[in-house]
C-alpha cells in the first residue's frame, strides 16, 4: 500500500520583503533564479527570513498525478529503506506542464524509521550515473546512518528518474529536439530537483547536508552558488570543479593529460609484462579487417577504443590490478594447431561492461557540457589530444616498441561511430558540442560570500579532477576547509567511505583541528 503525500498548496518565499511588487513573483521562477533574486534584495533589507508551508488536502485530489508518492519501509541487512517518487518540471524556467519523474531512496539504520534526524542528500558522480543500490549496511552509508536520514537521489535521466537509455532516447526522432531535451539534464537542473524534493520531504523544509562525490561535488558547488538557503553543510569528495566563464574543458584536459601519463608510468612499472601484451593487442586490432574487432553489441574495438580502458583502469584504487587481470585473458587459447589467433569473447564482453555506454549513454553525450558556461566545448578532449598525439598514438607506439598509453576521462567524437549504443545519438552529440548559449553553473560572487560550512576531500593524485585546478577553485569558496591527501585516489569514498565521511564531518563539527 502506498502513502501519498499531498503537494504544498503554497510555499511562501524564504524572505518576505515589503516591496512594490507581489512576492508571488517567486512562484514563477526556478529555485536557482529565485535564490539569486532573494540574495539581490537581501543586501538591501534587514527583514528576517521566514519559511511557511501550508498543505491543502483538496490540492492532492485535484491533481491526477501527485507530486510526491512515498512507499512503505523495507529491509536489507542493518538498514531500512523507503522509496520516494516525485513529479518535477522538465524545465524549471518555462511552462512546468512537462514533467519527469525523480526517484529518491530514503535510508536509515534499523529502528530509526520514526526518529527525528537531520537529512543528508547524496549526489552521485557521473554525469549520467544513478545512485548506489544498498544491499546491506556498510561503507559511508552505514556511517552516515548513525546520525542522518540518507537520501539517495537518482539524478534526472538515470536509474529510476525518467532514465535516458539508448532505447528510450530513440523515442525522440529529431536530433535537434533530442539535443534540446538533453540541455535540461545538467547540474543546474539537478540542483532544482534537489530543492524541489527538499521542500516536500524534509519537515518544515529545513536545510539539509549534501554529500557530493566527483560530479556530484560539481553539483554541490552549483548548489552553493544558487540555492544556499537549502544547505546546512556541504561535503565534497573528489569533486571541486573549475568555475571560470566560458568552457573550462580545455584547461581540464590539458592538466589531466599530464596526470594520465604519470598513471600509465606507474601501471607499467607495477606490471611491466603488460607492455608487450598491450602492444600485441594494438597491432592485432590495427591489422584486422576494418581496423578493429567486432564487439558483442555490434560496435568495433579499435586501438584508440582499447586505450579508453584507462578511464576505469588507471584512476581507482584497485584499477591497476583489474586492468592487469583483464589483459591476462585477452587471447583465446589455441586448441587446434594452426588455428588463427583471436581476442577472447571474455575480453570483449568485459571491455563493454567497463565502458557501459549501453547502460549509461548520458555520460558520453553530456560529458563536456558540464564544463560549459556561455561557450561551446567543440569536442575539447579531441582537440587537446591532438597536441599530445606523439604520446598517445597507439599504433605508432606499438610499431616503435614503446608502451601504449591508455587515456582517461575524455569523450571523443569517434566514439559515436565505434560504439553501437552511441551511434543513434551522433548528430545530437555534435549539436551539443557546438552549443554556445549554455546557462551559468556557478556564481563566483556568491561563492566568495559563502556562509555554508564546506569540507572537501582533495586527492592529490586524482586522475579525474586535477589538483591544481581544484586549488584555484577552492580559493574562491569562502570558508571551505580542505583535507588534502594522497592516501586515497578518486574512489576514496567507495574504498574507505566510513573513514572519509567521518573525517569530513569532524572538520565541521570541531573534532578535527582547524590547522
Amino acid at each position: 500500500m502506498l502513502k501519498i503525500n499531498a503537494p504544498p498548496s503554497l510555499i511562501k518565499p524564504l524572505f518576505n520583503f515589503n516591496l512594490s511588487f507581489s512576492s508571488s513573483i517567486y512562484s514563477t521562477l526556478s529555485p536557482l533564479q529565485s535564490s539569486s533574486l532573494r540574495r539581490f534584495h537581501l543586501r538591501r533589507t534587514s527583514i528576517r527570513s521566514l519559511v511557511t508551508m501550508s498543505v491543502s488536502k483538496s490540492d492532492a485530489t485535484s491533481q491526477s498525478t501527485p507530486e510526491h508518492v512515498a512507499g512503505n519501509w523495507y529491509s536489507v541487512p542493518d538498514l531500512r529503506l523507503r522509496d520516494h517518487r516525485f513529479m518535477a518540471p522538465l524545465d524549471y524556467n518555462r511552462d512546468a506542464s512537462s514533467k519527469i519523474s525523480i526517484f529518491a531512496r530514503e535510508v536509515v539504520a534499523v529502528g530509526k524509521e520514526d526518529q527525528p534526524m537531520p537529512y543528508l542528500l547524496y549526489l552521485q558522480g557521473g554525469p549520467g550515473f544513478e545512485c548506489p543500490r544498498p544491499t546491506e549496511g556498510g561503507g559511508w552509508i552505514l556511517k552516515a546512518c548513525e546520525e542522518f536520514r540518507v537520501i539517495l537521489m537518482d539524478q534526472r535521466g538515470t536509474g529510476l528518474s525518467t532514465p535516458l537509455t539508448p532505447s528510450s532516447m530513440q523515442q525522440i526522432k529529431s536530433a535537434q529536439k533530442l539535443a534540446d531535451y538533453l540541455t535540461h539534464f545538467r547540474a543546474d537542473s539537478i540542483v532544482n530537483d534537489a530543492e524541489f524534493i527538499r521542500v516536500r520531504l524534509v519537515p518544515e523544509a529545513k536545510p539539509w547536508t549534501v554529500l557530493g562525490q566527483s560530479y556530484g561535488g560539481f553539483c554541490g558547488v552549483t548548489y552553493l552558488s544558487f540555492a544556499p538557503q537549502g544547505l546546512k553543510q556541504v561535503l565534497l569528495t573528489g569533486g571541486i570543479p573549475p568555475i571560470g566563464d566560458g568552457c573550462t574543458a580545455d584547461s581540464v584536459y590539458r592538466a589531466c593529460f599530464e596526470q594520465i601519463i604519470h598513471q600509465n608510468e606507474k601501471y607499467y612499472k607495477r606490471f611491466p609484462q603488460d607492455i608487450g601484451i598491450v602492444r600485441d593487442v594494438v597491432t592485432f586490432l590495427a591489422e584486422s579487417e576494418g581496423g578493429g574487432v567486432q564487439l558483442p553489441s555490434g560496435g568495433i574495438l579499435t586501438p584508440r577504443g582499447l586505450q579508453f580502458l584507462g578511464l576505469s583502469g588507471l584512476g581507482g584504487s584497485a584499477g591497476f590490478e583489474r586492468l592487469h587481470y583483464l589483459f591476462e585473458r585477452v587471447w583465446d587459447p589455441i586448441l587446434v594447431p594452426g588455428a588463427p589467433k583471436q581476442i577472447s569473447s571474455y575480453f570483449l564482453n568485459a571491455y563493454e561492461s567497463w565502458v557501459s555506454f549501453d547502460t549509461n549513454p548520458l555520460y558520453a553525450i553530456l560529458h563536456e557540457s558540464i564544463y560549459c558556461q556561455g561557450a561551446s566545448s567543440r569536442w575539447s578532449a579531441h582537440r587537446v589530444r591532438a597536441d599530445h598525439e606523439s604520446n598517445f598514438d597507439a599504433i605508432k607506439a606499438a610499431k616503435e616498441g614503446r608502451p601504449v598509453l591508455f587515456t582517461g576521462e575524455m569523450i571523443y567524437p569517434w566514439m559515436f561511430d565505434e560504439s553501437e549504443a552511441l551511434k543513434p545519438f551522433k548528430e545530437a552529440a555534435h549539436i551539443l558540442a557546438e552549443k554556445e548559449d549554455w546557462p551559468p553553473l556557478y556564481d563566483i560572487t556568491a561563492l566568495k560570500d559563502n556562509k555554508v560550512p564546506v569540507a572537501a576531500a582533495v586527492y592529490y593524485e586524482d586522475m579525474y579532477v586535477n589538483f591544481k585546478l581544484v586549488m584555484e577553485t577552492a580559493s574562491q569558496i569562502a570558508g571551505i576547509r580542505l583535507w588534502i591527501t594522497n592516501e586515497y585516489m578518486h574512489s576514496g569514498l567507495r574504498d574507505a567511505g566510513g573513514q572519509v565521511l567521518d573525517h569530513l564531518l569532524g572538520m565541521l563539527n570541531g573534532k578535527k583541528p582547524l590547522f
Side-chain angles (χ1 to χ4, degrees):
M1 182 176 181
L2 295 178
K3 174 185 176 184
I4 298 179
N5 293 344
S9 60
L10 176 66
I11 302 178
K12 294 184 179 179
L14 292 176
F15 300 98
N16 289 338
F17 301 106
N18 183 17
L19 301 174
S20 59
F21 58 84
S22 170
S23 63
S24 64
I25 189 174
Y26 293 106
S27 64
T28 67
L29 303 178
S30 72
L32 301 190
Q33 293 173 314
S34 61
S35 63
S36 296
L37 183 60
R38 288 176 189 124
R39 284 201 304 273
F40 175 81
H41 291 294
L42 184 59
R43 296 188 186 103
R44 294 157 176 80
T45 66
S46 58
I47 300 175
R48 66 181 182 180
S49 62
L50 173 66
V51 177
T52 306
M53 299 190 66
S54 174
V55 177
S56 170
K57 293 183 179 179
S58 62
D59 286 348
T61 58
S62 66
Q63 296 188 12
S64 58
T65 303
E67 287 186 334
H68 178 200
V69 177
N72 294 324
W73 290 102
Y74 58 98
S75 298
V76 299
D78 297 320
L79 299 174
R80 294 280 283 166
L81 304 92
R82 178 166 60 173
D83 297 343
H84 297 267
R85 288 174 170 81
F86 302 84
M87 295 304 299
L90 170 67
D91 183 355
Y92 286 87
N93 298 314
R94 295 185 179 180
D95 180 15
S97 60
S98 181
K99 303 282 188 178
I100 60 173
S101 176
I102 303 297
F103 175 83
R105 181 172 280 115
E106 182 179 1
V107 186
V108 299
V110 173
K112 293 187 176 182
E113 298 91 329
D114 298 320
Q115 293 184 18
M117 291 185 295
Y119 283 68
L120 181 148
L121 172 70
Y122 175 66
L123 296 174
Q124 172 67 25
F129 285 88
E130 62 274 10
C131 267
R133 269 49 184 167
T135 56
E136 61 182 359
W140 72 264
I141 292 179
L142 187 61
K143 177 64 182 177
C145 285
E146 292 178 4
E147 56 182 292
F148 294 101
R149 288 183 179 273
V150 175
I151 304 299
L152 303 174
M153 182 185 78
D154 284 345
Q155 295 168 19
R156 51 172 52 200
T158 75
L160 294 175
S161 293
T162 309
L164 298 182
T165 64
S167 54
S168 71
M169 281 192 290
Q170 292 191 56
Q171 297 173 30
I172 304 176
K173 304 302 182 182
S174 162
Q176 183 64 59
K177 288 183 178 179
L178 177 58
D180 292 342
Y181 189 82
L182 292 172
T183 61
H184 304 303
F185 288 79
R186 298 199 309 159
D188 48 357
S189 295
I190 292 168
V191 170
N192 277 326
D193 290 338
E195 281 292 270
F196 185 91
I197 289 174
R198 181 183 63 84
V199 299
R200 288 158 177 80
L201 181 63
V202 181
E204 301 177 1
K206 290 182 178 180
W208 56 11
T209 294
V210 166
L211 169 61
Q213 159 64 18
S214 189
Y215 175 67
F218 287 29
C219 296
V221 178
T222 300
Y223 216 147
L224 285 168
S225 294
F226 298 110
Q229 76 279 356
L231 299 171
K232 181 180 179 181
Q233 55 190 1
V234 172
L235 311 173
L236 307 174
T237 57
I240 298 181
I243 59 176
D245 290 334
C247 179
T248 57
D250 285 15
S251 60
V252 169
Y253 296 134
R254 289 191 186 100
C256 285
F257 266 116
E258 298 176 7
Q259 185 62 35
I260 291 167
I261 292 173
H262 180 55
Q263 291 299 106
N264 273 278
E265 292 171 347
K266 288 164 59 179
Y267 171 73
Y268 283 127
K269 185 175 182 179
R270 187 175 302 180
F271 298 108
Q273 64 270 40
D274 289 355
I275 296 176
I277 295 174
V278 176
R279 280 202 304 248
D280 288 346
V281 176
V282 167
T283 300
F284 180 86
L285 293 172
E287 294 176 351
S288 297
E289 184 178 356
V293 171
Q294 187 173 16
L295 290 162
S297 67
I300 184 172
L301 175 60
T302 62
R304 60 190 180 184
L306 184 78
Q307 291 174 287
F308 192 65
L309 286 172
L311 170 64
S312 297
L314 298 185
S317 62
F320 286 8
E321 289 75 20
R322 292 176 60 235
L323 189 59
H324 169 69
Y325 295 142
L326 180 62
F327 277 101
E328 278 188 337
R329 297 185 60 180
V330 65
W331 302 112
D332 266 342
I334 301 298
L335 304 180
V336 177
K341 187 177 185 179
Q342 64 182 19
I343 295 177
S344 69
S345 59
Y346 170 88
F347 183 89
L348 297 176
N349 280 289
Y351 172 86
E352 290 203 305
S353 68
W354 276 42
V355 172
S356 72
F357 291 147
D358 56 336
T359 55
N360 297 86
L362 281 189
Y363 177 82
I365 300 171
L366 290 181
H367 196 270
E368 290 197 350
S369 75
I370 69 175
Y371 297 109
C372 295
Q373 301 186 97
S376 60
S377 71
R378 298 184 297 113
W379 295 112
S380 175
H382 187 68
R383 291 184 290 101
V384 174
R385 174 171 169 160
D387 298 332
H388 298 267
E389 200 60 20
S390 59
N391 290 315
F392 287 91
D393 186 327
I395 297 174
K396 184 178 180 180
K399 288 180 179 179
E400 295 177 354
R402 294 185 286 110
V404 173
L405 301 186
F406 296 98
T407 55
E409 191 173 32
M410 292 120 179
I411 298 297
Y412 305 102
W414 50 259
M415 291 178 172
F416 291 82
D417 294 312
E418 298 182 3
S419 168
E420 194 69 15
L422 296 180
K423 283 181 181 179
F425 316 116
K426 177 180 178 179
E427 187 177 351
H430 280 293
I431 292 172
L432 292 173
E434 297 298 326
K435 179 179 172 63
E436 296 181 347
D437 58 340
W438 292 105
L441 294 171
Y442 312 106
D443 184 335
I444 295 179
T445 300
L447 293 174
K448 287 183 175 180
D449 192 42
N450 173 59
K451 301 297 189 298
V452 179
V454 183
V458 178
Y459 307 123
Y460 186 75
E461 293 191 321
D462 197 324
M463 189 184 78
Y464 306 95
V465 182
N466 180 262
F467 177 76
K468 179 181 177 181
L469 298 180
V470 163
M471 298 305 290
E472 290 176 0
T473 296
S475 69
Q476 304 293 304
I477 303 176
I480 189 172
R481 295 198 59 202
L482 301 180
W483 171 35
I484 301 172
T485 177
N486 64 355
E487 184 177 357
Y488 304 109
M489 298 182 70
H490 190 74
S491 56
L493 188 64
R494 183 182 68 232
D495 301 330
Q499 295 94 312
V500 171
L501 181 61
D502 185 62
H503 193 106
L504 292 179
L505 289 171
M507 293 170 69
L508 298 183
N509 63 20
K511 292 183 179 179
K512 300 292 180 181
L514 291 176
F515 304 102

